[in-house]
Amino acid sequence: ITANEFRMTQQRYDAGSAKMKELGITDKHLYKDHIEVRGVKHSLDEAIGVYVYAQQKAALDKLLSPDGNRYTQADIVTIVSSLSDEHKAWGDFLIQEMTSRHAALSEVFRKVSNKKLSQVAKYFPLVRSGKDATMTDMLEEEYFNRQENPQDGMLKERTGGQYSLALNATTIWNRMVRKQEHYISAAEWVNDTQYLLRKNGGDLYDSIALAKGSKYAEALQDFVDRFANN
């Protein structure tokens, strides 16, 4: 972890803590059962997640999809209507806070992949239920979703289509703050190092393999991969 990564992560967490205190919301409130819809209980944090995702078209499509969260419009209205002004204000903060770093993410993604991400209205990361995706996969999906005629069939197979979203918005925010700042700080270094460590023609890989053996080069390659996906 770099000094700037730590500083920015802590700064964002401090802003979140201050906002929760201002709104009178605690972790205990967020994790308690809040509403039941068609036999499914939702914690307050999950209800706020529905409110957050319902404001972003790509996310709303997943909330409503038979292959996604399988809500009806009436379900969403019921859940959102159950939230107080303070609960919605916390959801609005999460959207604004995530949106504030989208430009930085987009710039690094452009440098690393030579692909441009457009600004997303009401941006909040689309996180699959039960899956901890890497920032690279999440940004690739975001890129794919905004192309009118995507050519990459492999990308479509890996990231396209509908799926169930994780709804615990505050937990997602906590995790994504760390992932975003790590990506912003480390992605270019990781990309350059992985290029040098490629097995076919990678100068650093070849040098280490010749001097110490291929297992040492592969161990370093494994470390860089784990660092990238931290």
Side-chain angles (χ1 to χ4, degrees):
I1 186 170
T2 66
N4 189 60
E5 178 183 343
F6 177 81
R7 179 180 62 81
M8 286 301 302
T9 300
Q10 197 58 50
Q11 181 177 309
R12 294 173 70 182
Y13 282 156
D14 289 346
S17 296
K19 189 64 176 181
M20 286 180 69
K21 185 175 181 180
E22 173 193 326
L23 295 171
I25 297 173
T26 67
D27 288 340
K28 187 176 181 180
H29 294 147
L30 291 169
Y31 301 141
K32 288 181 66 175
D33 287 344
H34 175 73
I35 188 173
E36 184 174 321
V37 176
R38 289 194 287 146
V40 179
K41 293 181 179 178
H42 295 67
S43 68
L44 175 58
D45 200 25
E46 290 171 327
I48 292 172
V50 172
Y51 169 76
V52 166
Y53 277 137
Q55 298 182 61
Q56 185 186 153
K57 185 184 183 304
L60 179 60
D61 289 346
K62 289 174 172 53
L63 291 180
L64 295 171
S65 172
D67 297 319
N69 295 83
R70 301 183 180 183
Y71 288 116
T72 65
Q73 286 283 7
D75 293 336
I76 293 174
V77 169
T78 297
I79 293 169
V80 172
S81 298
S82 74
L83 298 172
S84 69
D85 289 343
E86 289 77 16
H87 299 155
K88 292 177 181 177
W90 176 240
D92 292 337
F93 170 84
L94 296 178
I95 294 171
Q96 177 275 324
E97 210 287 328
M98 284 281 108
T99 301
S100 72
R101 295 301 277 159
H102 191 266
L105 285 170
S106 180
E107 177 62 14
V108 174
F109 184 69
R110 182 189 64 79
K111 290 179 180 178
V112 170
S113 67
N114 200 32
K115 298 174 183 177
K116 183 180 179 181
L117 292 173
S118 57
Q119 187 64 43
V120 181
K122 301 290 186 179
Y123 175 72
F124 196 79
L126 305 182
V127 176
R128 293 174 186 251
S129 178
K131 181 179 180 182
D132 187 22
T134 67
M135 276 303 308
T136 300
D137 276 346
M138 294 179 70
L139 292 173
E140 286 282 6
E141 175 171 359
E142 187 178 319
Y143 171 80
F144 167 78
N145 282 339
R146 279 156 184 78
Q147 309 311 302
E148 291 184 4
N149 297 297
Q151 301 299 313
D152 193 338
M154 292 288 288
L155 175 61
K156 182 175 181 180
E157 181 178 346
R158 187 174 80 249
T159 63
Q162 302 297 345
Y163 51 81
S164 178
L165 291 168
L167 299 175
N168 47 339
T170 307
T171 300
I172 291 170
W173 175 77
N174 270 294
R175 188 165 68 246
M176 291 307 302
V177 166
R178 292 195 302 272
K179 281 183 175 288
Q180 286 183 344
E181 294 306 327
H182 183 72
Y183 182 83
I184 290 168
S185 296
E188 288 185 71
W189 175 84
V190 168
N191 187 63
D192 291 343
T193 305
Q194 285 176 330
Y195 178 79
L196 293 172
L197 281 171
R198 68 195 191 282
K199 287 187 177 181
N200 297 318
D203 293 341
L204 183 56
Y205 183 96
D206 289 344
S207 296
I208 295 173
L210 284 171
K212 296 291 185 179
S214 60
K215 69 177 182 179
Y216 289 94
E218 290 170 4
L220 180 57
Q221 193 176 54
D222 179 64
F223 167 78
V224 173
D225 288 343
R226 285 186 285 109
F227 179 79
N229 294 320
N230 187 21

